Amino acid sequence: MLLLVVAVVIALPTLDSRVMKQLDPRSVSILNSIAHNIAISAERYPNVPLQVLITPKEAQTKNFYLVSTNGDIIASTKASKAIRRFILQSEESLVPKVKQYKNWLMTGPISVVLRGEQFQLYAAQQLPAEHNIWLINVLDRPFLLLFITMLVSMPLCALLAWHISNPLQKLKKTASDITDGNLDAVVPATQRQDEIGELARSLRTMMLSIREHISLQHRLLSDISHELRSPLTRLKMSVALSKRHYGETKEITRIDNESERLEEMIAALLNLSKMQLNATTKESFNLDSLLQPICDDAIFEAEQLEKRFSHQVIPDLDIKGFPALFGSAVENVIRNALRYAANQVDLAFVSDSDKITLIITDDGPGVPEDEIEQIFKPFYRVSQARDRESGGAGLGLAITENAIRQHHGKIVASNRDTRGLQISITIPIC
């Protein structure tokens, strides 16, 4: 585009007829023919003055001038300042020149011998008033020339910008789809042979690699969990047989408790694997429809534990995400709060224009400040509030944190000023 604009700007002045240029061969031939005819007429009519011989029939639109070697100008009309200036500028030229001055086009010189004396022949032709007027107006107005140049180049620039930006916009949408978990998205512009094509092919390779690694991870997690179930089942059968033969002993009870805990951990791992395996594409879900059954179950469980669960009115919002994962995350936090609450668990909502925050609070013992950032790590167990007697595999909050992270949200735990723990879950509304 720069080369095109520069070429136009350089070429336009060469079209300006007001700039002295070399006369084209066709015009030189015509001027030579006129000089030859004048020479023949001068020989044929030796007594006729030269100014008469060089006066054409269309004298109103054409004038001829003869310049002698001593600089005298012979013409049928008085030579204007323009023709005098043109004669001075071109007298040393070896080839005929042409220049426009206002509406007169001047050409010459052509050497001609008349009656034994050397002359230089010049011609001046009057042009129509509209001749090249548009080009002259453009050349005389730099801002108009700039505007025309921009007007011509803008569609080409727009086409070039569209050629670059359109596939980039499609690649951006594909990247957003991959971020949302859609690993089957179609990557455009892979056939292009430029940098955008290389980017598209790299994006497709990355997507295929991510898809393969996630599939292998899920398969490995599922296989490990299933393989652990077989020895666990045999272990539980052995415990049951030992109870039948030897009765309840401290050691058998401990083995039974640990096997139950191990089964709970394996079930949590399988649940996590299934949810992640199914969470491949985000879908729109209603927050009220998703959380109301979870809150109803929490109220029922709280009554069985002789505790209370209350919640604010659930906002009627549509959220794009993984409903099973998000529902499981909220349910894990609520059940965890019910487990450690003394009497009361509350669920509140704070919504903004682009996000919503769920706040779950309980009146339990809370978490030591130096351990509060660790509770979302897998298999982490708080020493005071979550000891061996309280149960739990240490996976619930880790699953929750993973699910919230997949929704591009965040989960934060903090101790309340009075008593208990507060967990805030914030996810974007989109």
Side-chain angles (χ1 to χ4, degrees), residues 256-394:
D256 192 23
N257 290 337
E258 294 300 330
S259 62
E260 291 291 341
R261 197 181 310 279
L262 183 58
E263 185 176 22
E264 181 182 349
M265 293 170 61
I266 293 174
L269 287 172
L270 279 174
N271 185 40
L272 175 62
S273 176
K274 289 178 180 179
M275 286 191 300
Q276 289 184 339
L277 192 61
N278 294 328
T280 56
T281 304
K282 284 187 176 181
E283 57 184 273
S284 182
F285 62 89
N286 184 267
L287 188 65
D288 183 20
S289 302
L290 179 69
L291 295 186
Q292 190 60 58
I294 296 175
C295 291
D296 293 340
D297 292 342
I299 293 173
F300 177 77
E301 292 181 18
E303 291 176 352
Q304 304 305 310
L305 297 172
E306 297 182 352
K307 300 176 184 180
R308 292 184 59 222
F309 174 79
S310 63
H311 64 89
Q312 294 180 350
V313 177
I314 303 174
D316 187 15
L317 295 174
D318 290 329
I319 297 176
K320 189 175 183 181
F322 309 109
L325 274 179
F326 184 71
S328 176
V330 176
E331 187 176 14
N332 279 338
V333 176
I334 293 175
R335 285 186 173 178
N336 194 69
L338 285 173
R339 176 180 297 171
Y340 298 107
N343 298 296
Q344 180 73 31
V345 175
D346 297 303
L347 171 61
F349 301 91
V350 177
S351 60
D352 294 330
S353 59
D354 58 345
K355 64 181 182 297
I356 184 170
T357 301
L358 287 69
I359 303 174
I360 299 99
T361 57
D362 64 65
D363 57 354
V367 176
E369 290 293 339
D370 58 342
E371 299 184 49
I372 200 166
E373 295 183 358
Q374 310 294 324
I375 62 175
F376 297 108
K377 293 183 177 180
F379 305 107
Y380 186 82
R381 300 166 60 85
V382 178
S383 57
Q384 295 180 6
R386 198 177 290 178
D387 55 12
R388 290 292 183 182
E389 301 300 326
S390 64

Side-chain angles (χ1 to χ4, degrees), residues 129-199:
E130 66 277 5
H131 179 75
N132 283 350
I133 192 67
W134 65 270
L135 181 59
I136 293 174
N137 288 335
V138 169
L139 295 175
D140 286 345
R141 293 171 174 82
F143 288 105
L144 181 60
L145 176 60
L146 178 62
F147 174 76
I148 294 176
T149 304
M150 292 178 61
L151 190 65
V152 173
S153 63
M154 280 178 62
L156 299 177
C157 288
L159 181 62
L160 178 62
W162 178 85
H163 182 68
I164 295 174
S165 63
N166 187 52
L168 288 178
Q169 290 290 338
K170 293 181 179 179
L171 288 174
K172 177 184 176 183
K173 183 180 182 301
T174 302
S176 299
D177 292 341
I178 295 174
T179 303
D180 291 339
N182 182 15
L183 297 180
D184 294 323
V186 177
V187 180
T190 54
Q191 303 301 321
R192 292 174 61 122
Q193 300 303 317
D194 54 4
E195 290 81 356
I196 296 177
E198 293 179 6
L199 174 62

